[in-house]
Amino acid sequence: MSAVSAAAAVERCALGIRRARPTAASPATRHCPPSIRRGPRRHLALAAAAAARRGPVAPRAVATPADRASSDLLGKFTLDSNSELQVAVNPAPQGLVAEINLEVTNTTGSLILHWGALRPDRRDWLLPSRRPDGTAVYKNKALRTPFVKSGDNSTLRIEIDDPAVQAIEFLIFDEAQNKWFKSNGQNFQIQLQTSRYQGQGASGASSSTTVPEDLVQIQAYLRWERNGKQSYTPEQEKEEYEAARAELIEELNRGISLEKLRSRLTKAPESSESVSPASQSTVAKVPEDLVQVHAYIRWEKAGKPNYPPEKQLVEFEEARKELQAELDKGISVDQLRKKMLKGNIESKVSKQLKNKKYFSVERIQRKQRDVMQLLTKHKHTVTADQVEVAPKQPTILDLFTKSLQEKDGCEVLSRKLFKFGDNDILAIATKDPRKMKVHLVTNHMEPLILHWSLAKKAGEWKAPPSNILPSGSKLLDKACETSFSESKLDGLRYQVVEVELDDGGYKGMPFVLRSGETWIQNNGSDFYLDFSTRVTKNTKEIGDAGKGTAKALLERIADLEEDAQRSLMHRFNIAADLVDQARDAGLLGIVGIFVWIRFMATRQLIWNKNYNVKPREISKAQDRFTDDLENMYKTYPQYREILRMIMAAVGRGGEGDVGQRIRDEILVIQRNNDCKGGMMEEWHQKLHNNTSPDDVVICQALLDYIQSDLDISVYWDTLNKNGITKERLLSYDRAIHSEPNFRHEQKEGLLRDLGNYMRSLKAVHSGADLESAIATCMGYKSEGEGFMVGVQINPVKGLPSGFPELLEFVLDHVEDKSAEPLLEGLLEARAELQPLLLDSPERMKDLIFLDIALDSTFRTAIERSYEALNDAAPEKIMYFISLVLENLALSTDDNEDILYCLKGWNQALEMVKRKDDQWALYAKAFLDRIRLALASKGEQYYTMMQPSAEYLGSLLGVDQWAVNIFTEEIIRGGSAATLSALLNRFDPVLRNVAHLGSWQVISPVEVSGYVVVVDELLAVQNKSYDKPTILVAKSVKGEEEIPDGVVGVITPDMPDVLSHVSVRARNCKVLFATCFDSRTLSELEGHNQKLLSFKPTSADITYREITESELQQSSSPNAEAGNAVPSVSLVKKKFLGKYAISAEEFSEEMVGAKSRNIAYLKGKLPSWVGVPTSVAIPFGTFEKVLSDELNKEVAQTIQKLKSKLVQEDFSALGEIRKTVLNLTAPTQLVKELKEKMVGSGMPWPGNEGDQRWEQAWLAIKKVWASKWNERAYFSTRKVKLDHEYLSMAVLVQEIVNADYAFVIHTTNPSSGDSSEIYAEVVKGLGETLVGAYPGRAMSFVCKKDDLDSPKLLGYPSKPIGLFIRQSIIFRSDSNGEDLEGYAGAGLYDSVPMDEEDEVVLDYTTDPLIVDCGFRNSILSSIARAGHAIEEVYGSPQDVEGVVKDGKIYVVQTRPQM
């Protein structure tokens, strides 16, 4: 094998198996320590002893000499009952190669040898450079070589040319059975005889022999390639370089000439001694500038890889050889020059070689811009009251349809609405118990004649029988004419014809209209009502159908779909007609249009019913539609993201974003050709995950295979010729294991569909779609090249300076193997475009299509890079994530959160570069926040799009599978899915570096139970399980209850350690843990309904399957944990005559523990800890207000609703809460509350006006109403508390407008360590910490004997902070909180008088995050405050507080449960 081809082959093998890995039963393998990858360097020095240890290593296979000794049978090993391994060794004479021959008898499947060599100077396996064909490198730690099948046996020969190798070690893997064969549980080890030539190396080399440095460089590079491009330390590099020199010296000393050595290494032609000087002079020498140009062309064709200088020397010599071969054929240098020097190739080469002697990938210089310049804040949320846009006033045709549907026994069979001019005609076929009828109704009020017939087959006009003619009809030869008659419905006039049909087996009714002498047709064709097109059930008739959609618009679309199917011209014209109605319906109207167009783009709707339409007519209709979208894009910025999606689905040529088409069309090919399994399904999964240029080759291989009459060898031949081996197919993230296995009857359809598909693949991977979009914006003339010829388009005006050069750079690099420079160029182009897209420039549409093409090319290039990132350093992966984040921000309307994620991620990247030891912990917080942003985006898309997809899909009869995955496919096709895939790759790296492990154990309890998988804990919180149950819940928000019978909860979600559900789990002795490892989580989900035992530590969990008897024998006190009912009771509280009391009056009879504790702290804490002033509305006040004559009706309503609750109608809970808000405040209550608040120095809301008092009164009522929230109600039922006895006092405090809020547990709740304080901190008010707000708080621990040294456990990932103006908060304080054995805290609501402002948080400017000194000071102060409060009470405390301007305030404390 030649030097260059050997290098290529080794690289393919290395890539080919990188993703392969053994099963759980993988072999014990000697592994090399990982290190940073780099190639050998030039200036290396080798110790003489190292050179002496090595014999000469040939880069090619060497034939075994005929006079060698025959192989000695070394041993036999039994593999299984009828299969045996036989090993024979042929020892190596001095300086030659040892052979090991392996033969396995009676084999059924394909066997793989997993092996390496042993040397006395190495602890790990050596990977010999001489390898049998098909050998692949496994993780740079072992080799994998396939056995060769020979009859019933499998054989393999290994040659070892390194004299220092003493043995080989191996295992055998049977791929078919997924089975490893070992030698008595250990690796097989075959010793090579000690008589082998050892230690002489290059000792015979003359010390005076020298080798040119350029040849040493090439040899060193070839050695590095042969050794699998391993990572070398500087010392190893020196050894390798000098070993290369020693090998070449050895060859020279054996008599090989320097010229022959150069020829072999560079593949340059050798000069022959027999050639005369005269004949030598006739061969022209290749000019150096042409060699450079040709080397550049070769480099471009290879995808501009990052070759090291040594490899480029080889490339220059290869270019020289190819050109010399051309000259040898008789072509002159001038002809060669003319052939090669086209376009700007010379300037490209000279630019590359201006300051260096090799080629390298150019990079653009990105502008330094604040990422917040990319900010857009156009939200498009769908709320409960927005989901249904008020329908337009029903038309007379709607009323007529409704009147038919409401008739007893009348079934609407088919319905079709047609437009003519400004009027409509509706054709409806109905059936009652007696006969079938056709009704034709129109809002056209001029005299009108129906010219009609009946048809038993398509295209037929058949005169109807005379006995069914309506009155006054005139029978013609093949038709009938009937006049419309006028009628009224609900005061609206219309004209109608009704025809009662006989049982003639008619398929439909063709008709035209005549008004006077004017014939009216349906866009040039006959109108036609198809009786076989049934109105879809389960749609309009169902009450909830269409909820969450622009229902009227979707029904209008469904009415017009039959016309739309005639051609794309009809569809785009109809779409343009519907734009105004969609705009009037708001966001859901725009979404409705998108869903319809998306169904079209994914071939779920018919594109053309054999309707002959000219391309320019389609283009005109498409322009009309996209012009309307462009105008809306300018005027309604809040819809831009969805409008872009519509335009991407339509595309410039009506076929949509080619990048998305790759995903969509493979599904259509599978469905149309009945090839949904096997290789086609595996390829489909690969295409969905990361389409790459390989897919062009795979598609061509399939086409060649089909055209060869299904000869499978042709398929493999095409793949292999283009560098795609079986190993490479297996290396994809979604591996392709199978071969195609088509049937002869599939050939014609597959040839057609795959041929069309190839165009989409090439359009993406050659950048053709991008090229078209760029050319349209930059302008081109008739003298243009390629597909541009004969067209003239002017450039878009007002483009940024340097923009054409930037786009030229993008096109130059669109096929580069290294995607990084291309990605940077694409992003820079999008960033430069963004200000224009936010404005209203001329030809906005062309710029939108350019941006769509840039975005699509970016996503494809990222997917192409997945393989290169397999072994990349963390910094490289982080940089790619940064690029994808920026691209997502540029494609998102409301991108504030994404941009703050990008800022934080870039800050983490800088921390990596400066080797900050906190980088991984910091990056993990932002990785979690990015995931939250992606999840939020996915939920938003689902809420916004899926209802419309389901309703319109049902109206149009779209395949259910396509409806079900509608939103999922939208998400998978965007940058969010690409980003998610990169995050999933990087998360384990971060967890490992930050020592976070795969688990966070929130409540460490050893439990056993049956695994039950649920989507969300909230959905089952009121359920009771009759046996010990461990829930695997995909979603846990933090405010849920733990259901009866549940002994454990495992979730991928990240609720705060101090959230309600976390506290509840610890109190109820329930295992509660977050699992970060998706593979572990999938494994647990696979154990659904199985009995498992879980054993946690503070940082990890182990689990195993157990038997029923083991469960019964379990002595764990938690076996019944989920069913344990605490023995608690309530004492009913009475109204003691006061509507409001000051802190001095707080007592057990008047208020709950929350109020009493805060009053108790007054004067007992250090001066630097503040305690807010408080008053309270005592127990019994709610009942007193309810009994007031003012509220008699409210009291009666609540009593009725309580009766519903007794009957377990839990919908009454929400109704009670609404009813409580109707209470009127007695005058005495207002008077007393004002006196107490003013007397305590608190502001009185009423001083700012009656409206402010009403706000305060509403907040008080909301606190009372929270007695009936679902979580609290079911929690009291669970412990059998009498809900009637639950009383609610209200603690009134002035809000501290906090910088930060915190919760402290003075004993670490995760470990139970009483010497350690645990606390969590959030920015803004504490509701984001104690409420169910997504993301994690900052967390830390602090030893009580070292309060100046808090230890940070995690940075915050909460995207939202709550902030408020100076205000009052009304806190719930019930008698059902902090009971022994029952934690009722957090069940009821605390309500501020004013609404909080939600602010998207930027942690990169927060001193608590970026200033170590400030952070240490604040966290230390929080820990000191917690410790001081614990000292006051003498027991562990659960403390809530805030930080304002560096001062600590405690707002409540309770015993830690």
Side-chain angles (χ1 to χ4, degrees):
M1 191 181 290
S2 70
V4 176
S5 59
V10 171
E11 184 168 0
R12 284 199 300 274
C13 288
L15 292 172
I17 69 124
R18 185 166 293 144
R19 298 295 295 172
R21 54 168 65 92
T23 61
S26 67
T29 306
R30 299 187 180 221
H31 290 159
C32 303
S35 60
I36 298 173
R37 290 177 172 272
R38 53 184 181 267
R41 296 180 181 169
R42 290 183 168 193
H43 308 294
L44 309 172
L46 172 70
R53 281 198 302 271
R54 302 175 191 272
V57 181
R60 292 168 282 113
V62 178
T64 307
D67 58 352
R68 289 188 59 156
S70 61
S71 299
D72 299 327
L73 184 62
L74 196 66
K76 297 182 179 180
F77 304 87
T78 300
L79 299 185
D80 56 25
S81 57
N82 67 340
S83 184
E84 180 181 75
L85 167 65
Q86 299 174 0
V87 182
V89 175
N90 192 348
Q94 179 171 325
L96 290 178
V97 177
E99 286 180 10
I100 302 102
N101 291 291
L102 307 176
E103 183 168 7
V104 181
T105 61
N106 297 319
T107 57
T108 55
S110 52
L111 299 182
I112 301 288
L113 189 76
H114 181 92
W115 67 287
L118 300 180
R119 276 185 16 175
D121 58 338
R122 291 176 66 109
R123 181 170 154 268
D124 305 306
W125 278 5
L126 170 76
L127 308 185
S129 57
R130 183 188 289 268
R131 301 162 187 175
D133 288 345
T135 298
V137 180
Y138 178 73
K139 294 188 175 180
N140 281 330
K141 296 170 183 175
L143 298 177
R144 286 192 168 179
T145 305
F147 279 78
V148 177
K149 196 84 169 80
S150 177
D152 291 336
N153 300 345
S154 294
T155 62
L156 180 61
R157 185 177 74 172
I158 295 173
E159 297 178 342
I160 300 296
D161 58 8
D162 186 340
V165 170
Q166 291 187 340
I168 67 163
E169 256 188 12
F170 61 89
L171 299 98
I172 295 174
F173 179 55
D174 186 332
E175 281 188 306
Q177 300 182 56
N178 194 26
K179 183 177 180 180
W180 291 91
F181 294 109
K182 302 182 181 181
S183 176
N184 296 320
Q186 303 295 317
N187 294 349
F188 293 97
Q189 190 176 103
I190 303 300
Q191 294 290 331
L192 305 181
Q193 294 186 13
T194 55
S195 62
R196 292 190 64 203
Y197 164 75
Q198 295 179 17
Q200 295 177 15
S203 58
S206 164
S207 59
S208 62
T209 306
T210 59
V211 182
E213 275 313 294
D214 63 327
L215 298 188
V216 177
Q217 291 169 1
I218 294 172
Q219 179 74 354
Y221 182 84
L222 292 171
R223 282 177 58 87
W224 178 64
E225 276 194 327
R226 284 201 303 268
N227 289 332
K229 299 185 179 178
Q230 297 179 47
S231 301
Y232 291 143
T233 63
E235 292 74 20
Q236 287 173 322
E237 287 178 350
K238 291 176 184 177
E239 288 186 9
E240 281 294 304
Y241 197 76
E242 290 305 325
R245 186 191 307 280
E247 287 174 353
L248 296 181
I249 289 173
E250 179 68 18
E251 291 199 58
L252 291 173
N253 288 343
R254 288 207 302 266
I256 295 176
S257 70
L258 186 60
E259 188 174 358
K260 283 190 176 181
L261 193 61
R262 179 179 296 280
S263 171
R264 179 174 65 74
L265 289 174
T266 66
K267 296 202 301 184
E270 301 172 31
S271 59
S272 170
E273 293 176 9
S274 63
V275 177
S276 68
S279 64
Q280 284 182 357
S281 65
T282 62
V283 180
K285 188 176 180 182
V286 183
E288 200 60 31
D289 64 324
L290 293 188
V291 173
Q292 293 172 350
V293 168
H294 193 53
Y296 181 85
I297 292 168
R298 284 172 55 85
W299 179 63
E300 269 197 329
K301 284 181 179 177
K304 297 181 181 174
N306 287 318
Y307 289 145
E310 294 83 2
K311 172 67 173 172
Q312 293 217 13
L313 283 170
V314 174
E315 282 293 299
F316 270 85
E317 292 302 326
E318 187 67 19
R320 188 188 309 279
K321 178 190 172 185
E322 288 180 357
L323 294 182
Q324 191 65 55
E326 290 278 305
L327 294 176
D328 290 347
K329 291 176 186 174
I331 189 172
S332 70
V333 171
D334 287 343
Q335 287 172 320
L336 194 60
R337 187 179 296 280
K338 187 175 180 181
K339 174 182 170 184
M340 290 175 60
L341 302 184
K342 292 181 179 177
N344 60 349
I345 186 74
E346 280 186 290
S347 61
K348 284 182 180 180
V349 174
S350 61
K351 183 179 175 184
Q352 279 278 337
L353 300 179
K354 187 175 181 181
N355 299 312
K356 55 188 187 299
K357 294 184 178 180
Y358 54 89
F359 303 127
S360 60
V361 179
E362 304 161 284
R363 305 286 278 261
I364 57 146
Q365 186 64 45
R366 294 208 62 187
K367 289 183 181 175
Q368 293 298 312
R369 58 171 70 84
D370 181 354
V371 298
M372 298 314 293
Q373 290 176 3
L374 307 179
L375 178 66
T376 56
K377 295 180 73 171
H378 301 298
K379 295 192 176 183
H380 41 71
T381 52
V382 180
T383 62
D385 356 340
Q386 184 200 352
V387 291
E388 179 58 84
V389 181
K392 290 186 172 181
Q393 198 67 21
T395 66
I396 181 58
L397 303 183
D398 296 328
L399 293 173
F400 185 86
T401 304
K402 187 179 179 186
S403 70
L404 288 178
Q405 289 171 331
E406 289 173 350
K407 283 184 181 178
D408 286 342
C410 180
E411 178 188 1
V412 176
L413 298 179
S414 55
R415 179 180 183 274
K416 187 78 180 74
L417 183 71
F418 303 96
K419 285 188 75 70
F420 63 100
D422 294 329
N423 299 301
D424 302 301
I425 183 165
L426 176 66
I428 303 182
T430 63
K431 188 175 183 180
D432 61 26
R434 295 182 299 108
K435 286 197 174 180
M436 181 173 168
K437 276 188 180 180
V438 177
H439 314 258
L440 293 113
V441 193
T442 180
N443 52 8
H444 177 85
M445 296 313 297
E446 299 294 325
L448 196 62
I449 303 291
L450 177 69
H451 183 91
W452 62 283
S453 77
L454 294 171
K456 292 188 176 182
K457 57 184 179 182
E460 181 180 51
W461 274 74
K462 185 178 178 63
S466 57
N467 63 323
I468 68 167
L469 301 183
S471 175
S473 296
K474 180 181 178 184
L475 194 60
L476 305 175
D477 181 23
K478 291 187 177 180
C480 177
E481 288 195 342
T482 306
S483 296
F484 280 81
S485 57
E486 189 174 324
S487 190
K488 275 189 177 183
L489 185 61
D490 289 355
L492 298 174
R493 296 164 59 223
Y494 65 95
Q495 294 199 90
V496 63
V497 170
E498 293 187 351
V499 181
E500 200 170 277
L501 302 178
D502 59 6
D503 190 15
Y506 304 114
K507 300 296 184 186
M509 174 187 282
F511 63 93
V512 292
L513 304 172
R514 183 159 54 83
S515 176
E517 297 303 316
T518 304
W519 289 94
I520 301 169
Q521 290 183 290
N522 181 26
N523 293 318
S525 299
D526 299 336
F527 296 98
Y528 186 76
L529 177 62
D530 187 345
F531 298 158
S532 64
T533 305
R534 292 290 186 255
V535 172
T536 310
K537 307 297 177 190
N538 82 330
T539 54
K540 302 180 187 180
E541 294 86 351
I542 298 175
D544 275 347
K547 186 177 180 183
T549 73
K551 187 175 180 181
L553 172 69
L554 298 186
E555 291 174 357
R556 176 72 174 157
I557 288 172
D559 286 338
L560 296 169
E561 174 58 27
E562 190 172 332
D563 272 348
Q565 291 181 359
R566 298 171 74 180
S567 74
L568 287 175
M569 177 193 74
H570 291 82
R571 188 174 298 280
F572 292 140
N573 275 326
I574 291 169
D577 291 339
L578 292 171
V579 163
D580 286 347
Q581 185 180 346
R583 184 195 57 231
D584 294 344
L587 172 64
L588 291 175
I590 310 301
V591 168
I593 292 287
F594 168 64
V595 170
W596 181 44
I597 294 298
R598 169 77 182 166
F599 279 149
M600 177 272 295
T602 56
R603 311 298 203 278
Q604 290 302 314
L605 305 176
I606 295 169
W607 282 31
N608 192 304
K609 280 188 173 177
N610 297 318
Y611 191 90
N612 190 10
V613 60
K614 297 181 179 67
R616 62 181 174 78
E617 292 173 333
I618 296 177
S619 180
K620 184 178 178 182
Q622 184 186 343
D623 277 344
R624 180 183 164 218
F625 179 38
T626 51
D627 284 346
D628 288 344
L629 295 176
E630 175 190 31
N631 292 332
M632 205 189 307
Y633 190 97
K634 292 178 180 178
T635 317
Y636 296 88
Q638 68 270 34
Y639 302 149
R640 282 176 176 168
E641 190 172 331
I642 308 300
L643 291 168
R644 273 174 55 93
M645 290 182 179
I646 300 173
M647 294 178 78
V650 173
R652 184 176 303 281
E655 294 187 2
D657 170 0
V658 286
Q660 183 57 41
R661 287 213 313 273
I662 284 180
R663 294 174 173 84
D664 299 335
E665 289 180 5
I666 189 66
L667 290 166
V668 179
I669 292 171
Q670 287 181 275
R671 188 178 71 245
N672 288 352
N673 296 282
D674 188 27
C675 51
K676 291 186 178 179
M679 179 268 169
M680 289 296 283
E681 178 57 27
E682 290 167 357
W683 189 33
H684 160 222
Q685 291 300 327
K686 188 260 182 207
L687 288 158
H688 266 274
N689 196 47
N690 58 334
T691 180
S692 67
D694 283 7
D695 295 314
V696 177
V697 179
I698 292 169
C699 189
Q700 188 60 56
L702 289 173
L703 288 167
D704 292 348
Y705 160 66
I706 297 165
Q707 287 169 330
S708 70
D709 201 27
L710 308 182
D711 181 348
I712 196 64
S713 65
V714 173
Y715 168 77
W716 286 111
D717 189 49
T718 301
L719 290 179
N720 294 331
K721 280 179 181 175
N722 290 277
I724 297 181
T725 61
K726 184 177 182 181
E727 289 78 17
R728 183 163 182 80
L729 294 174
L730 292 173
S731 75
Y732 302 136
D733 278 353
R734 301 294 169 88
I736 298 177
H737 300 272
S738 310
E739 294 180 335
N741 185 22
F742 300 144
R743 302 184 304 275
H744 281 81
E745 64 269 21
Q746 295 173 302
K747 285 171 56 177
E748 185 179 346
L750 282 168
L751 277 174
R752 178 192 63 243
D753 291 351
L754 286 171
N756 291 331
Y757 192 53
M758 177 65 95
R759 284 195 285 276
S760 294
L761 288 168
K762 285 184 174 178
V764 169
H765 294 298
S766 67
D769 194 56
L770 175 64
E771 189 174 351
S772 167
I774 289 175
T776 304
C777 290
M778 293 299 98
Y780 52 87
K781 298 177 183 177
S782 55
E783 60 262 33
E785 296 179 11
F787 66 92
M788 312 284 189
V789 173
V791 183
Q792 178 164 345
I793 289 188
N794 295 321
V796 173
K797 295 177 182 175
L799 293 174
S801 172
F803 195 62
E805 292 76 16
L806 180 57
L807 294 181
E808 184 182 348
F809 173 89
V810 165
L811 284 178
D812 280 348
H813 293 79
V814 80
E815 294 184 55
D816 286 4
K817 183 175 283 187
S818 174
E820 202 171 310
L822 171 64
L823 295 171
E824 291 167 346
L826 289 164
L827 279 182
E828 187 64 21
R830 293 198 70 197
E832 289 282 88
L833 264 186
Q834 201 212 27
L836 290 174
L837 294 173
L838 297 178
D839 199 5
S840 296
E842 290 181 21
R843 292 175 57 186
M844 168 75 91
K845 183 169 67 172
D846 290 331
L847 296 177
I848 295 170
F849 277 123
L850 173 58
D851 191 53
I852 288 168
L854 291 166
D855 179 29
S856 178
T857 307
F858 181 95
R859 296 196 310 268
T860 304
I862 278 286
E863 291 174 0
R864 199 168 71 214
S865 304
Y866 281 173
E867 190 175 69
L869 293 176
N870 278 338
D871 301 303
E875 188 178 329
K876 171 74 79 175
I877 302 174
M878 288 184 73
Y879 182 57
F880 269 73
I881 290 172
S882 174
L883 296 176
V884 181
L885 254 179
E886 185 179 347
N887 191 61
L888 180 62
L890 286 163
S891 304
T892 305
D893 278 350
D894 180 26
N895 64 7
E896 186 175 17
D897 187 22
I898 294 169
L899 288 175
Y900 287 143
C901 288
L902 176 59
K903 284 184 73 177
W905 192 257
N906 287 341
Q907 205 168 59
L909 190 52
E910 290 304 312
M911 291 170 73
V912 175
K913 291 176 182 176
R914 63 173 185 262
K915 296 183 169 52
D916 189 313
D917 59 6
Q918 291 279 303
W919 77 265
L921 202 61
Y922 187 77
K924 180 68 171 80
F926 278 97
L927 184 144
D928 292 341
R929 179 169 175 179
I930 295 166
R931 278 183 166 159
L932 287 172
L934 296 181
S936 173
K937 192 73 180 169
E939 288 169 12
Q940 180 193 60
Y941 273 14
Y942 194 88
T943 305
M944 189 167 60
M945 297 176 183
Q946 195 61 27
S948 294
E950 289 173 1
Y951 188 55
L952 186 60
S954 69
L955 291 173
L956 300 179
V958 172
D959 288 344
Q960 192 58 47
W961 64 267
V963 171
N964 293 343
I965 64 170
F966 183 87
T967 307
E968 178 190 338
E969 289 297 301
I970 298 298
I971 295 167
R972 284 182 71 173
S975 288
T978 309
L979 181 55
S980 181
L982 288 173
L983 296 178
N984 289 341
R985 281 177 177 227
F986 197 54
D987 191 23
V989 176
L990 283 183
R991 285 192 277 108
N992 182 47
V993 175
H995 308 295
L996 295 176
S998 297
W999 293 89
Q1000 179 173 28
V1001 184
I1002 297 168
S1003 174
V1005 183
E1006 187 172 342
V1007 298
S1008 299
Y1010 291 89
V1011 172
V1012 174
V1013 180
V1014 297
D1015 283 333
E1016 50 182 25
L1017 184 59
L1018 185 66
V1020 296
Q1021 66 172 347
N1022 305 326
K1023 188 173 178 178
S1024 289
Y1025 293 89
D1026 56 4
K1027 52 188 178 183
T1029 298
I1030 297 162
L1031 294 179
V1032 178
K1034 296 172 186 174
S1035 169
V1036 175
K1037 299 301 181 190
E1039 286 200 316
E1040 300 91 340
E1041 281 298 312
I1042 293 173
D1044 288 342
V1046 168
V1047 297
V1049 178
I1050 307 294
T1051 179
D1053 251 344
M1054 297 176 289
D1056 291 306
V1057 172
L1058 301 183
S1059 66
H1060 172 80
V1061 71
S1062 302
V1063 173
R1064 179 73 67 207
R1066 289 190 290 269
N1067 292 342
C1068 297
K1069 301 295 185 286
V1070 169
L1071 170 68
F1072 187 34
T1074 295
C1075 178
F1076 296 112
D1077 190 325
S1078 58
R1079 288 172 298 182
T1080 301
L1081 202 67
S1082 295
E1083 187 176 288
L1084 284 173
E1085 290 172 351
H1087 286 299
N1088 195 25
Q1089 303 302 325
K1090 291 182 180 175
L1091 186 55
L1092 297 187
S1093 171
F1094 286 76
K1095 187 172 184 178
T1097 65
S1098 60
D1100 198 10
I1101 288 181
T1102 59
Y1103 55 89
R1104 64 185 180 89
E1105 195 166 349
I1106 61 172
T1107 61
E1108 287 274 3
S1109 59
E1110 285 180 276
L1111 178 65
Q1112 298 300 326
Q1113 293 164 10
S1114 171
S1115 58
S1116 166
N1118 306 109
E1120 301 293 325
N1123 297 314
V1125 178
S1127 177
V1128 292
S1129 59
L1130 289 177
V1131 177
K1132 190 165 187 175
K1133 302 293 184 180
K1134 298 179 182 178
F1135 179 68
L1136 297 180
K1138 293 185 177 182
Y1139 284 102
I1141 56 176
S1142 62
E1144 294 73 24
E1145 301 171 87
F1146 290 179
S1147 68
E1148 192 171 352
E1149 290 74 30
M1150 304 284 276
V1151 293
K1154 190 183 294 182
S1155 300
R1156 300 198 307 276
N1157 288 342
I1158 208 72
Y1160 181 73
L1161 285 178
K1162 275 283 189 180
K1164 295 184 177 64
L1165 294 177
S1167 59
W1168 51 269
V1169 180
V1171 179
T1173 303
S1174 307
V1175 302
I1177 300 169
F1179 290 140
T1181 305
F1182 167 72
E1183 290 77 10
K1184 177 68 175 172
V1185 171
L1186 187 63
S1187 65
D1188 195 293
E1189 190 64 27
L1190 287 167
N1191 296 306
K1192 186 176 179 180
E1193 286 185 20
V1194 174
Q1196 289 171 349
T1197 304
I1198 288 176
Q1199 198 55 43
K1200 288 177 186 173
L1201 291 169
K1202 283 182 179 178
S1203 301
K1204 290 174 70 175
L1205 268 184
V1206 171
Q1207 295 164 13
E1208 302 209 338
D1209 180 354
F1210 300 124
S1211 66
L1213 290 168
E1215 295 178 60
I1216 292 175
R1217 292 198 299 273
K1218 286 181 184 175
T1219 307
V1220 168
L1221 301 186
N1222 294 326
L1223 288 170
T1224 302
T1227 307
Q1228 189 62 23
L1229 181 149
V1230 181
K1231 179 173 178 288
E1232 289 186 28
L1233 183 58
K1234 179 178 179 180
E1235 287 174 0
K1236 294 299 180 183
M1237 289 180 70
V1238 173
S1240 299
M1242 295 171 69
W1244 170 245
N1247 288 344
E1248 299 178 54
D1250 292 343
Q1251 185 210 348
R1252 294 291 287 161
W1253 159 247
E1254 287 301 325
Q1255 281 180 256
W1257 175 233
L1258 179 63
I1260 293 166
K1261 290 185 288 185
K1262 285 181 177 178
V1263 175
W1264 285 337
S1266 71
K1267 172 180 174 178
W1268 285 276
N1269 74 48
E1270 283 78 6
R1271 183 160 57 91
Y1273 182 79
F1274 289 115
S1275 180
T1276 56
R1277 272 169 59 96
K1278 182 176 178 180
V1279 295
K1280 298 181 169 53
L1281 280 175
D1282 189 336
H1283 195 257
E1284 282 297 302
Y1285 278 33
L1286 190 119
S1287 297
M1288 187 74 73
V1290 181
L1291 175 62
V1292 185
Q1293 293 178 324
E1294 192 171 359
I1295 286 182
V1296 179
N1297 189 8
D1299 299 322
Y1300 308 102
F1302 59 82
V1303 173
I1304 307 168
H1305 277 196
T1306 59
T1307 290
N1308 189 327
S1310 295
S1311 63
D1313 185 352
S1314 60
S1315 71
E1316 189 172 68
I1317 290 169
Y1318 175 87
E1320 294 183 343
V1321 187
V1322 295
K1323 194 169 175 65
L1325 299 178
E1327 181 59 22
T1328 60
L1329 182 53
V1330 298
Y1333 280 77
R1336 297 292 287 273
M1338 172 180 277
S1339 58
F1340 71 96
V1341 291
C1342 193
K1343 290 292 184 183
K1344 292 174 183 174
D1345 60 1
D1346 189 8
L1347 293 168
D1348 287 329
S1349 305
K1351 179 186 176 185
L1352 189 66
L1353 298 180
Y1355 286 93
S1357 62
K1358 288 186 180 288
I1360 297 296
L1362 297 178
F1363 298 86
I1364 199 169
R1365 56 172 281 185
Q1366 183 178 2
S1367 187
I1368 305 292
I1369 189 167
F1370 300 90
R1371 299 183 184 275
S1372 58
D1373 189 25
S1374 77
N1375 62 338
E1377 298 181 43
D1378 306 322
L1379 301 173
E1380 189 166 345
Y1382 171 67
L1387 289 174
Y1388 307 101
D1389 296 344
S1390 295
V1391 184
M1393 191 175 91
D1394 294 283
E1395 288 285 327
E1396 303 103 327
D1397 292 325
E1398 284 195 0
V1399 176
V1400 183
L1401 297 175
D1402 178 8
Y1403 290 117
T1404 63
T1405 57
D1406 184 350
L1408 191 66
I1409 308 301
V1410 298
D1411 184 337
C1412 274
F1414 178 80
R1415 178 169 67 243
N1416 198 74
S1417 169
I1418 293 295
L1419 301 189
S1420 179
S1421 296
I1422 291 170
R1424 287 179 182 282
H1427 186 54
I1429 293 168
E1430 184 181 60
E1431 292 283 300
V1432 169
Y1433 282 97
S1435 63
Q1437 293 292 300
D1438 173 355
V1439 184
E1440 291 182 28
V1442 297
V1443 181
K1444 177 66 177 174
D1445 297 329
K1447 183 175 174 64
I1448 306 294
Y1449 294 85
V1450 173
V1451 297
Q1452 68 180 64
T1453 186
R1454 62 175 71 92
Q1456 181 177 330
M1457 303 294 285

